[in-house]
Amino acid sequence: MTTPGLIRLLPGQRQLIFNTDGSNARWYRVFNRGQSPMGVIYANNPGTTASLSQTIEPGRSMDFLAYRLEVRHLSGTHILDGLYEALP
């Protein structure tokens, strides 16, 4: 298992988690430890930039198979706090 990465976003900020050259998608788990919903933008096709989106509610996690994965602060004034990790 890999060491989780930290997500800390101020209102309006985005953070790129992973971007590939299109050769291999990767599984990632994103966990929202904050008080506000977290937006996730991802691409599950190698020729597309961020075409799909999901919302992760506070205290929840989601797994993504993606070629590109980005998280963003959706709303509120709180710092958005979360974790991400690559899955085997």
Side-chain angles (χ1 to χ4, degrees):
M1 191 64 79
T2 61
T3 303
L6 182 63
I7 299 169
R8 292 198 48 96
L9 301 173
L10 295 172
Q13 286 187 320
R14 295 174 176 228
Q15 180 178 335
L16 181 64
I17 303 296
F18 171 70
N19 193 23
T20 183
D21 60 3
S23 57
N24 292 314
R26 291 189 188 170
W27 279 102
Y28 273 87
R29 176 169 292 142
V30 179
F31 178 62
N32 183 358
R33 299 188 313 178
Q35 300 175 6
S36 301
M38 176 188 295
V40 179
I41 304 167
Y42 64 103
N44 63 356
N45 291 314
T48 352
T49 54
S51 60
L52 302 169
S53 64
Q54 291 286 336
T55 301
I56 303 175
E57 296 299 324
R60 308 287 285 192
S61 67
M62 280 187 171
D63 295 348
F64 298 91
L65 177 61
Y67 289 90
R68 185 179 199 292
L69 184 66
E70 180 180 301
V71 293
R72 63 184 173 141
H73 194 292
L74 288 178
S75 63
T77 58
H78 298 89
I79 293 175
L80 193 56
D81 185 29
L83 298 171
Y84 66 90
E85 64 182 343
L87 300 176

mmCIF file with all atom_site columns, all heavy atoms in Angstrom, residues 48-73:
data_model
loop_
_atom_site.group_PDB
_atom_site.id
_atom_site.type_symbol
_atom_site.label_atom_id
_atom_site.label_alt_id
_atom_site.label_comp_id
_atom_site.label_asym_id
_atom_site.label_entity_id
_atom_site.label_seq_id
_atom_site.pdbx_PDB_ins_code
_atom_site.Cartn_x
_atom_site.Cartn_y
_atom_site.Cartn_z
_atom_site.occupancy
_atom_site.B_iso_or_equiv
_atom_site.pdbx_formal_charge
_atom_site.auth_seq_id
_atom_site.auth_comp_id
_atom_site.auth_asym_id
_atom_site.auth_atom_id
_atom_site.pdbx_PDB_model_num
ATOM 1   N N   . THR A 1 48 ? -9.206  12.026 -23.689 1.00 0.00 ? 48 THR A N   1
ATOM 2   C CA  . THR A 1 48 ? -10.035 13.105 -23.141 1.00 0.00 ? 48 THR A CA  1
ATOM 3   C C   . THR A 1 48 ? -9.326  13.774 -21.976 1.00 0.00 ? 48 THR A C   1
ATOM 4   O O   . THR A 1 48 ? -8.647  13.121 -21.219 1.00 0.00 ? 48 THR A O   1
ATOM 5   C CB  . THR A 1 48 ? -11.352 12.549 -22.571 1.00 0.00 ? 48 THR A CB  1
ATOM 6   O OG1 . THR A 1 48 ? -11.508 11.201 -22.886 1.00 0.00 ? 48 THR A OG1 1
ATOM 7   C CG2 . THR A 1 48 ? -12.533 13.305 -23.033 1.00 0.00 ? 48 THR A CG2 1
ATOM 8   N N   . THR A 1 49 ? -9.536  15.049 -21.836 1.00 0.00 ? 49 THR A N   1
ATOM 9   C CA  . THR A 1 49 ? -9.066  15.712 -20.622 1.00 0.00 ? 49 THR A CA  1
ATOM 10  C C   . THR A 1 49 ? -10.115 15.431 -19.554 1.00 0.00 ? 49 THR A C   1
ATOM 11  O O   . THR A 1 49 ? -10.726 14.433 -19.578 1.00 0.00 ? 49 THR A O   1
ATOM 12  C CB  . THR A 1 49 ? -8.824  17.209 -20.859 1.00 0.00 ? 49 THR A CB  1
ATOM 13  O OG1 . THR A 1 49 ? -9.991  17.782 -21.396 1.00 0.00 ? 49 THR A OG1 1
ATOM 14  C CG2 . THR A 1 49 ? -7.662  17.415 -21.797 1.00 0.00 ? 49 THR A CG2 1
ATOM 15  N N   . ALA A 1 50 ? -10.374 16.250 -18.630 1.00 0.00 ? 50 ALA A N   1
ATOM 16  C CA  . ALA A 1 50 ? -11.295 15.946 -17.528 1.00 0.00 ? 50 ALA A CA  1
ATOM 17  C C   . ALA A 1 50 ? -12.740 16.044 -17.981 1.00 0.00 ? 50 ALA A C   1
ATOM 18  O O   . ALA A 1 50 ? -13.323 17.107 -18.006 1.00 0.00 ? 50 ALA A O   1
ATOM 19  C CB  . ALA A 1 50 ? -11.025 16.888 -16.379 1.00 0.00 ? 50 ALA A CB  1
ATOM 20  N N   . SER A 1 51 ? -13.337 14.910 -18.330 1.00 0.00 ? 51 SER A N   1
ATOM 21  C CA  . SER A 1 51 ? -14.678 14.942 -18.909 1.00 0.00 ? 51 SER A CA  1
ATOM 22  C C   . SER A 1 51 ? -15.782 14.507 -17.947 1.00 0.00 ? 51 SER A C   1
ATOM 23  O O   . SER A 1 51 ? -16.946 14.756 -18.203 1.00 0.00 ? 51 SER A O   1
ATOM 24  C CB  . SER A 1 51 ? -14.724 14.056 -20.150 1.00 0.00 ? 51 SER A CB  1
ATOM 25  O OG  . SER A 1 51 ? -14.408 12.726 -19.797 1.00 0.00 ? 51 SER A OG  1
ATOM 26  N N   . LEU A 1 52 ? -15.455 13.819 -16.879 1.00 0.00 ? 52 LEU A N   1
ATOM 27  C CA  . LEU A 1 52 ? -16.453 13.333 -15.937 1.00 0.00 ? 52 LEU A CA  1
ATOM 28  C C   . LEU A 1 52 ? -16.255 14.007 -14.581 1.00 0.00 ? 52 LEU A C   1
ATOM 29  O O   . LEU A 1 52 ? -15.155 14.426 -14.243 1.00 0.00 ? 52 LEU A O   1
ATOM 30  C CB  . LEU A 1 52 ? -16.331 11.812 -15.777 1.00 0.00 ? 52 LEU A CB  1
ATOM 31  C CG  . LEU A 1 52 ? -16.471 11.008 -17.065 1.00 0.00 ? 52 LEU A CG  1
ATOM 32  C CD1 . LEU A 1 52 ? -16.060 9.575  -16.826 1.00 0.00 ? 52 LEU A CD1 1
ATOM 33  C CD2 . LEU A 1 52 ? -17.895 11.088 -17.575 1.00 0.00 ? 52 LEU A CD2 1
ATOM 34  N N   . SER A 1 53 ? -17.326 14.077 -13.800 1.00 0.00 ? 53 SER A N   1
ATOM 35  C CA  . SER A 1 53 ? -17.190 14.686 -12.475 1.00 0.00 ? 53 SER A CA  1
ATOM 36  C C   . SER A 1 53 ? -18.078 13.962 -11.464 1.00 0.00 ? 53 SER A C   1
ATOM 37  O O   . SER A 1 53 ? -19.098 13.382 -11.824 1.00 0.00 ? 53 SER A O   1
ATOM 38  C CB  . SER A 1 53 ? -17.528 16.172 -12.515 1.00 0.00 ? 53 SER A CB  1
ATOM 39  O OG  . SER A 1 53 ? -18.876 16.362 -12.873 1.00 0.00 ? 53 SER A OG  1
ATOM 40  N N   . GLN A 1 54 ? -17.651 14.000 -10.226 1.00 0.00 ? 54 GLN A N   1
ATOM 41  C CA  . GLN A 1 54 ? -18.373 13.424 -9.101  1.00 0.00 ? 54 GLN A CA  1
ATOM 42  C C   . GLN A 1 54 ? -18.229 14.361 -7.916  1.00 0.00 ? 54 GLN A C   1
ATOM 43  O O   . GLN A 1 54 ? -17.317 15.180 -7.873  1.00 0.00 ? 54 GLN A O   1
ATOM 44  C CB  . GLN A 1 54 ? -17.790 12.060 -8.702  1.00 0.00 ? 54 GLN A CB  1
ATOM 45  C CG  . GLN A 1 54 ? -18.021 10.965 -9.694  1.00 0.00 ? 54 GLN A CG  1
ATOM 46  C CD  . GLN A 1 54 ? -19.462 10.486 -9.693  1.00 0.00 ? 54 GLN A CD  1
ATOM 47  O OE1 . GLN A 1 54 ? -20.179 10.617 -8.716  1.00 0.00 ? 54 GLN A OE1 1
ATOM 48  N NE2 . GLN A 1 54 ? -19.886 9.932  -10.806 1.00 0.00 ? 54 GLN A NE2 1
ATOM 49  N N   . THR A 1 55 ? -19.104 14.209 -6.954  1.00 0.00 ? 55 THR A N   1
ATOM 50  C CA  . THR A 1 55 ? -19.011 14.955 -5.703  1.00 0.00 ? 55 THR A CA  1
ATOM 51  C C   . THR A 1 55 ? -18.852 13.960 -4.568  1.00 0.00 ? 55 THR A C   1
ATOM 52  O O   . THR A 1 55 ? -19.601 12.993 -4.485  1.00 0.00 ? 55 THR A O   1
ATOM 53  C CB  . THR A 1 55 ? -20.279 15.810 -5.481  1.00 0.00 ? 55 THR A CB  1
ATOM 54  O OG1 . THR A 1 55 ? -20.422 16.711 -6.581  1.00 0.00 ? 55 THR A OG1 1
ATOM 55  C CG2 . THR A 1 55 ? -20.192 16.596 -4.193  1.00 0.00 ? 55 THR A CG2 1
ATOM 56  N N   . ILE A 1 56 ? -17.874 14.210 -3.721  1.00 0.00 ? 56 ILE A N   1
ATOM 57  C CA  . ILE A 1 56 ? -17.663 13.366 -2.547  1.00 0.00 ? 56 ILE A CA  1
ATOM 58  C C   . ILE A 1 56 ? -18.111 14.160 -1.326  1.00 0.00 ? 56 ILE A C   1
ATOM 59  O O   . ILE A 1 56 ? -17.584 15.236 -1.042  1.00 0.00 ? 56 ILE A O   1
ATOM 60  C CB  . ILE A 1 56 ? -16.194 12.958 -2.390  1.00 0.00 ? 56 ILE A CB  1
ATOM 61  C CG1 . ILE A 1 56 ? -15.703 12.247 -3.648  1.00 0.00 ? 56 ILE A CG1 1
ATOM 62  C CG2 . ILE A 1 56 ? -16.026 12.056 -1.168  1.00 0.00 ? 56 ILE A CG2 1
ATOM 63  C CD1 . ILE A 1 56 ? -14.229 11.907 -3.629  1.00 0.00 ? 56 ILE A CD1 1
ATOM 64  N N   . GLU A 1 57 ? -19.092 13.636 -0.629  1.00 0.00 ? 57 GLU A N   1
ATOM 65  C CA  . GLU A 1 57 ? -19.624 14.298 0.561   1.00 0.00 ? 57 GLU A CA  1
ATOM 66  C C   . GLU A 1 57 ? -18.637 14.160 1.724   1.00 0.00 ? 57 GLU A C   1
ATOM 67  O O   . GLU A 1 57 ? -17.805 13.260 1.740   1.00 0.00 ? 57 GLU A O   1
ATOM 68  C CB  . GLU A 1 57 ? -20.975 13.684 0.938   1.00 0.00 ? 57 GLU A CB  1
ATOM 69  C CG  . GLU A 1 57 ? -22.054 13.889 -0.110  1.00 0.00 ? 57 GLU A CG  1
ATOM 70  C CD  . GLU A 1 57 ? -22.366 15.345 -0.376  1.00 0.00 ? 57 GLU A CD  1
ATOM 71  O OE1 . GLU A 1 57 ? -22.331 16.162 0.567   1.00 0.00 ? 57 GLU A OE1 1
ATOM 72  O OE2 . GLU A 1 57 ? -22.645 15.693 -1.535  1.00 0.00 ? 57 GLU A OE2 1
ATOM 73  N N   . PRO A 1 58 ? -18.719 15.056 2.710   1.00 0.00 ? 58 PRO A N   1
ATOM 74  C CA  . PRO A 1 58 ? -17.829 14.985 3.873   1.00 0.00 ? 58 PRO A CA  1
ATOM 75  C C   . PRO A 1 58 ? -17.892 13.612 4.549   1.00 0.00 ? 58 PRO A C   1
ATOM 76  O O   . PRO A 1 58 ? -18.966 13.023 4.696   1.00 0.00 ? 58 PRO A O   1
ATOM 77  C CB  . PRO A 1 58 ? -18.361 16.078 4.799   1.00 0.00 ? 58 PRO A CB  1
ATOM 78  C CG  . PRO A 1 58 ? -19.033 17.052 3.886   1.00 0.00 ? 58 PRO A CG  1
ATOM 79  C CD  . PRO A 1 58 ? -19.620 16.212 2.787   1.00 0.00 ? 58 PRO A CD  1
ATOM 80  N N   . GLY A 1 59 ? -16.729 13.088 4.912   1.00 0.00 ? 59 GLY A N   1
ATOM 81  C CA  . GLY A 1 59 ? -16.649 11.804 5.591   1.00 0.00 ? 59 GLY A CA  1
ATOM 82  C C   . GLY A 1 59 ? -16.750 10.596 4.679   1.00 0.00 ? 59 GLY A C   1
ATOM 83  O O   . GLY A 1 59 ? -16.769 9.466  5.157   1.00 0.00 ? 59 GLY A O   1
ATOM 84  N N   . ARG A 1 60 ? -16.797 10.800 3.377   1.00 0.00 ? 60 ARG A N   1
ATOM 85  C CA  . ARG A 1 60 ? -16.966 9.693  2.425   1.00 0.00 ? 60 ARG A CA  1
ATOM 86  C C   . ARG A 1 60 ? -15.734 9.578  1.522   1.00 0.00 ? 60 ARG A C   1
ATOM 87  O O   . ARG A 1 60 ? -14.951 10.512 1.390   1.00 0.00 ? 60 ARG A O   1
ATOM 88  C CB  . ARG A 1 60 ? -18.199 9.930  1.545   1.00 0.00 ? 60 ARG A CB  1
ATOM 89  C CG  . ARG A 1 60 ? -19.477 10.230 2.278   1.00 0.00 ? 60 ARG A CG  1
ATOM 90  C CD  . ARG A 1 60 ? -20.049 9.057  2.940   1.00 0.00 ? 60 ARG A CD  1
ATOM 91  N NE  . ARG A 1 60 ? -20.647 8.208  1.929   1.00 0.00 ? 60 ARG A NE  1
ATOM 92  C CZ  . ARG A 1 60 ? -21.432 7.202  2.205   1.00 0.00 ? 60 ARG A CZ  1
ATOM 93  N NH1 . ARG A 1 60 ? -21.712 6.925  3.438   1.00 0.00 ? 60 ARG A NH1 1
ATOM 94  N NH2 . ARG A 1 60 ? -21.943 6.468  1.253   1.00 0.00 ? 60 ARG A NH2 1
ATOM 95  N N   . SER A 1 61 ? -15.621 8.443  0.857   1.00 0.00 ? 61 SER A N   1
ATOM 96  C CA  . SER A 1 61 ? -14.544 8.243  -0.109  1.00 0.00 ? 61 SER A CA  1
ATOM 97  C C   . SER A 1 61 ? -15.116 7.632  -1.388  1.00 0.00 ? 61 SER A C   1
ATOM 98  O O   . SER A 1 61 ? -16.213 7.077  -1.386  1.00 0.00 ? 61 SER A O   1
ATOM 99  C CB  . SER A 1 61 ? -13.456 7.333  0.461   1.00 0.00 ? 61 SER A CB  1
ATOM 100 O OG  . SER A 1 61 ? -13.950 6.034  0.644   1.00 0.00 ? 61 SER A OG  1
ATOM 101 N N   . MET A 1 62 ? -14.339 7.732  -2.466  1.00 0.00 ? 62 MET A N   1
ATOM 102 C CA  . MET A 1 62 ? -14.704 7.126  -3.747  1.00 0.00 ? 62 MET A CA  1
ATOM 103 C C   . MET A 1 62 ? -13.432 6.627  -4.415  1.00 0.00 ? 62 MET A C   1
ATOM 104 O O   . MET A 1 62 ? -12.359 7.206  -4.236  1.00 0.00 ? 62 MET A O   1
ATOM 105 C CB  . MET A 1 62 ? -15.359 8.139  -4.684  1.00 0.00 ? 62 MET A CB  1
ATOM 106 C CG  . MET A 1 62 ? -16.790 8.408  -4.437  1.00 0.00 ? 62 MET A CG  1
ATOM 107 S SD  . MET A 1 62 ? -17.421 9.459  -5.775  1.00 0.00 ? 62 MET A SD  1
ATOM 108 C CE  . MET A 1 62 ? -19.140 9.395  -5.399  1.00 0.00 ? 62 MET A CE  1
ATOM 109 N N   . ASP A 1 63 ? -13.591 5.563  -5.207  1.00 0.00 ? 63 ASP A N   1
ATOM 110 C CA  . ASP A 1 63 ? -12.487 5.022  -5.996  1.00 0.00 ? 63 ASP A CA  1
ATOM 111 C C   . ASP A 1 63 ? -12.690 5.414  -7.457  1.00 0.00 ? 63 ASP A C   1
ATOM 112 O O   . ASP A 1 63 ? -13.815 5.405  -7.963  1.00 0.00 ? 63 ASP A O   1
ATOM 113 C CB  . ASP A 1 63 ? -12.437 3.505  -5.891  1.00 0.00 ? 63 ASP A CB  1
ATOM 114 C CG  . ASP A 1 63 ? -12.114 3.028  -4.480  1.00 0.00 ? 63 ASP A CG  1
ATOM 115 O OD1 . ASP A 1 63 ? -11.712 3.859  -3.639  1.00 0.00 ? 63 ASP A OD1 1
ATOM 116 O OD2 . ASP A 1 63 ? -12.260 1.826  -4.221  1.00 0.00 ? 63 ASP A OD2 1
ATOM 117 N N   . PHE A 1 64 ? -11.570 5.724  -8.131  1.00 0.00 ? 64 PHE A N   1
ATOM 118 C CA  . PHE A 1 64 ? -11.611 6.156  -9.519  1.00 0.00 ? 64 PHE A CA  1
ATOM 119 C C   . PHE A 1 64 ? -10.554 5.423  -10.330 1.00 0.00 ? 64 PHE A C   1
ATOM 120 O O   . PHE A 1 64 ? -9.416  5.302  -9.895  1.00 0.00 ? 64 PHE A O   1
ATOM 121 C CB  . PHE A 1 64 ? -11.328 7.668  -9.634  1.00 0.00 ? 64 PHE A CB  1
ATOM 122 C CG  . PHE A 1 64 ? -12.333 8.518  -8.943  1.00 0.00 ? 64 PHE A CG  1
ATOM 123 C CD1 . PHE A 1 64 ? -12.158 8.889  -7.616  1.00 0.00 ? 64 PHE A CD1 1
ATOM 124 C CD2 . PHE A 1 64 ? -13.468 8.955  -9.602  1.00 0.00 ? 64 PHE A CD2 1
ATOM 125 C CE1 . PHE A 1 64 ? -13.093 9.672  -6.963  1.00 0.00 ? 64 PHE A CE1 1
ATOM 126 C CE2 . PHE A 1 64 ? -14.406 9.742  -8.956  1.00 0.00 ? 64 PHE A CE2 1
ATOM 127 C CZ  . PHE A 1 64 ? -14.217 10.102 -7.642  1.00 0.00 ? 64 PHE A CZ  1
ATOM 128 N N   . LEU A 1 65 ? -10.941 4.933  -11.495 1.00 0.00 ? 65 LEU A N   1
ATOM 129 C CA  . LEU A 1 65 ? -9.998  4.427  -12.487 1.00 0.00 ? 65 LEU A CA  1
ATOM 130 C C   . LEU A 1 65 ? -9.876  5.532  -13.523 1.00 0.00 ? 65 LEU A C   1
ATOM 131 O O   . LEU A 1 65 ? -10.839 5.828  -14.241 1.00 0.00 ? 65 LEU A O   1
ATOM 132 C CB  . LEU A 1 65 ? -10.517 3.136  -13.123 1.00 0.00 ? 65 LEU A CB  1
ATOM 133 C CG  . LEU A 1 65 ? -9.637  2.548  -14.235 1.00 0.00 ? 65 LEU A CG  1
ATOM 134 C CD1 . LEU A 1 65 ? -8.251  2.202  -13.709 1.00 0.00 ? 65 LEU A CD1 1
ATOM 135 C CD2 . LEU A 1 65 ? -10.310 1.346  -14.852 1.00 0.00 ? 65 LEU A CD2 1
ATOM 136 N N   . ALA A 1 66 ? -8.709  6.165  -13.589 1.00 0.00 ? 66 ALA A N   1
ATOM 137 C CA  . ALA A 1 66 ? -8.618  7.375  -14.394 1.00 0.00 ? 66 ALA A CA  1
ATOM 138 C C   . ALA A 1 66 ? -7.254  7.545  -15.052 1.00 0.00 ? 66 ALA A C   1
ATOM 139 O O   . ALA A 1 66 ? -6.239  7.053  -14.560 1.00 0.00 ? 66 ALA A O   1
ATOM 140 C CB  . ALA A 1 66 ? -8.898  8.593  -13.519 1.00 0.00 ? 66 ALA A CB  1
ATOM 141 N N   . TYR A 1 67 ? -7.270  8.282  -16.159 1.00 0.00 ? 67 TYR A N   1
ATOM 142 C CA  . TYR A 1 67 ? -6.052  8.727  -16.817 1.00 0.00 ? 67 TYR A CA  1
ATOM 143 C C   . TYR A 1 67 ? -5.647  10.104 -16.301 1.00 0.00 ? 67 TYR A C   1
ATOM 144 O O   . TYR A 1 67 ? -4.496  10.490 -16.394 1.00 0.00 ? 67 TYR A O   1
ATOM 145 C CB  . TYR A 1 67 ? -6.259  8.810  -18.334 1.00 0.00 ? 67 TYR A CB  1
ATOM 146 C CG  . TYR A 1 67 ? -6.385  7.452  -18.974 1.00 0.00 ? 67 TYR A CG  1
ATOM 147 C CD1 . TYR A 1 67 ? -7.621  6.850  -19.119 1.00 0.00 ? 67 TYR A CD1 1
ATOM 148 C CD2 . TYR A 1 67 ? -5.261  6.780  -19.416 1.00 0.00 ? 67 TYR A CD2 1
ATOM 149 C CE1 . TYR A 1 67 ? -7.743  5.601  -19.703 1.00 0.00 ? 67 TYR A CE1 1
ATOM 150 C CE2 . TYR A 1 67 ? -5.373  5.522  -19.999 1.00 0.00 ? 67 TYR A CE2 1
ATOM 151 C CZ  . TYR A 1 67 ? -6.608  4.942  -20.137 1.00 0.00 ? 67 TYR A CZ  1
ATOM 152 O OH  . TYR A 1 67 ? -6.721  3.701  -20.699 1.00 0.00 ? 67 TYR A OH  1
ATOM 153 N N   . ARG A 1 68 ? -6.620  10.841 -15.782 1.00 0.00 ? 68 ARG A N   1
ATOM 154 C CA  . ARG A 1 68 ? -6.374  12.170 -15.203 1.00 0.00 ? 68 ARG A CA  1
ATOM 155 C C   . ARG A 1 68 ? -7.348  12.343 -14.049 1.00 0.00 ? 68 ARG A C   1
ATOM 156 O O   . ARG A 1 68 ? -8.522  12.002 -14.167 1.00 0.00 ? 68 ARG A O   1
ATOM 157 C CB  . ARG A 1 68 ? -6.608  13.259 -16.244 1.00 0.00 ? 68 ARG A CB  1
ATOM 158 C CG  . ARG A 1 68 ? -6.267  14.647 -15.764 1.00 0.00 ? 68 ARG A CG  1
ATOM 159 C CD  . ARG A 1 68 ? -6.506  15.669 -16.876 1.00 0.00 ? 68 ARG A CD  1
ATOM 160 N NE  . ARG A 1 68 ? -5.817  16.917 -16.683 1.00 0.00 ? 68 ARG A NE  1
ATOM 161 C CZ  . ARG A 1 68 ? -6.075  17.801 -15.733 1.00 0.00 ? 68 ARG A CZ  1
ATOM 162 N NH1 . ARG A 1 68 ? -7.010  17.552 -14.861 1.00 0.00 ? 68 ARG A NH1 1
ATOM 163 N NH2 . ARG A 1 68 ? -5.404  18.917 -15.640 1.00 0.00 ? 68 ARG A NH2 1
ATOM 164 N N   . LEU A 1 69 ? -6.857  12.875 -12.932 1.00 0.00 ? 69 LEU A N   1
ATOM 165 C CA  . LEU A 1 69 ? -7.688  13.028 -11.738 1.00 0.00 ? 69 LEU A CA  1
ATOM 166 C C   . LEU A 1 69 ? -7.343  14.346 -11.058 1.00 0.00 ? 69 LEU A C   1
ATOM 167 O O   . LEU A 1 69 ? -6.181  14.628 -10.797 1.00 0.00 ? 69 LEU A O   1
ATOM 168 C CB  . LEU A 1 69 ? -7.424  11.853 -10.791 1.00 0.00 ? 69 LEU A CB  1
ATOM 169 C CG  . LEU A 1 69 ? -8.246  11.752 -9.516  1.00 0.00 ? 69 LEU A CG  1
ATOM 170 C CD1 . LEU A 1 69 ? -9.715  11.493 -9.836  1.00 0.00 ? 69 LEU A CD1 1
ATOM 171 C CD2 . LEU A 1 69 ? -7.712  10.628 -8.642  1.00 0.00 ? 69 LEU A CD2 1
ATOM 172 N N   . GLU A 1 70 ? -8.370  15.140 -10.799 1.00 0.00 ? 70 GLU A N   1
ATOM 173 C CA  . GLU A 1 70 ? -8.196  16.453 -10.176 1.00 0.00 ? 70 GLU A CA  1
ATOM 174 C C   . GLU A 1 70 ? -9.294  16.647 -9.143  1.00 0.00 ? 70 GLU A C   1
ATOM 175 O O   . GLU A 1 70 ? -10.426 16.209 -9.344  1.00 0.00 ? 70 GLU A O   1
ATOM 176 C CB  . GLU A 1 70 ? -8.307  17.516 -11.270 1.00 0.00 ? 70 GLU A CB  1
ATOM 177 C CG  . GLU A 1 70 ? -8.164  18.924 -10.808 1.00 0.00 ? 70 GLU A CG  1
ATOM 178 C CD  . GLU A 1 70 ? -8.290  19.896 -11.978 1.00 0.00 ? 70 GLU A CD  1
ATOM 179 O OE1 . GLU A 1 70 ? -7.504  19.803 -12.934 1.00 0.00 ? 70 GLU A OE1 1
ATOM 180 O OE2 . GLU A 1 70 ? -9.208  20.734 -11.918 1.00 0.00 ? 70 GLU A OE2 1
ATOM 181 N N   . VAL A 1 71 ? -8.960  17.272 -8.024  1.00 0.00 ? 71 VAL A N   1
ATOM 182 C CA  . VAL A 1 71 ? -9.971  17.590 -7.015  1.00 0.00 ? 71 VAL A CA  1
ATOM 183 C C   . VAL A 1 71 ? -10.122 19.102 -6.932  1.00 0.00 ? 71 VAL A C   1
ATOM 184 O O   . VAL A 1 71 ? -9.199  19.845 -7.244  1.00 0.00 ? 71 VAL A O   1
ATOM 185 C CB  . VAL A 1 71 ? -9.620  17.003 -5.618  1.00 0.00 ? 71 VAL A CB  1
ATOM 186 C CG1 . VAL A 1 71 ? -9.670  15.494 -5.644  1.00 0.00 ? 71 VAL A CG1 1
ATOM 187 C CG2 . VAL A 1 71 ? -8.272  17.482 -5.128  1.00 0.00 ? 71 VAL A CG2 1
ATOM 188 N N   . ARG A 1 72 ? -11.312 19.544 -6.488  1.00 0.00 ? 72 ARG A N   1
ATOM 189 C CA  . ARG A 1 72 ? -11.534 20.991 -6.381  1.00 0.00 ? 72 ARG A CA  1
ATOM 190 C C   . ARG A 1 72 ? -12.461 21.296 -5.221  1.00 0.00 ? 72 ARG A C   1
ATOM 191 O O   . ARG A 1 72 ? -13.286 20.483 -4.817  1.00 0.00 ? 72 ARG A O   1
ATOM 192 C CB  . ARG A 1 72 ? -12.083 21.561 -7.673  1.00 0.00 ? 72 ARG A CB  1
ATOM 193 C CG  . ARG A 1 72 ? -13.429 21.021 -8.050  1.00 0.00 ? 72 ARG A CG  1
ATOM 194 C CD  . ARG A 1 72 ? -13.861 21.549 -9.391  1.00 0.00 ? 72 ARG A CD  1
ATOM 195 N NE  . ARG A 1 72 ? -15.073 20.878 -9.805  1.00 0.00 ? 72 ARG A NE  1
ATOM 196 C CZ  . ARG A 1 72 ? -16.070 21.470 -10.414 1.00 0.00 ? 72 ARG A CZ  1
ATOM 197 N NH1 . ARG A 1 72 ? -16.001 22.742 -10.699 1.00 0.00 ? 72 ARG A NH1 1
ATOM 198 N NH2 . ARG A 1 72 ? -17.132 20.789 -10.739 1.00 0.00 ? 72 ARG A NH2 1
ATOM 199 N N   . HIS A 1 73 ? -12.313 22.498 -4.705  1.00 0.00 ? 73 HIS A N   1
ATOM 200 C CA  . HIS A 1 73 ? -13.144 23.018 -3.623  1.00 0.00 ? 73 HIS A CA  1
ATOM 201 C C   . HIS A 1 73 ? -14.429 23.524 -4.259  1.00 0.00 ? 73 HIS A C   1
ATOM 202 O O   . HIS A 1 73 ? -14.394 24.363 -5.148  1.00 0.00 ? 73 HIS A O   1
ATOM 203 C CB  . HIS A 1 73 ? -12.386 24.153 -2.931  1.00 0.00 ? 73 HIS A CB  1
ATOM 204 C CG  . HIS A 1 73 ? -12.963 24.555 -1.614  1.00 0.00 ? 73 HIS A CG  1
ATOM 205 N ND1 . HIS A 1 73 ? -14.179 25.162 -1.484  1.00 0.00 ? 73 HIS A ND1 1
ATOM 206 C CD2 . HIS A 1 73 ? -12.463 24.439 -0.365  1.00 0.00 ? 73 HIS A CD2 1
ATOM 207 C CE1 . HIS A 1 73 ? -14.406 25.415 -0.204  1.00 0.00 ? 73 HIS A CE1 1
ATOM 208 N NE2 . HIS A 1 73 ? -13.372 24.970 0.495   1.00 0.00 ? 73 HIS A NE2 1
#
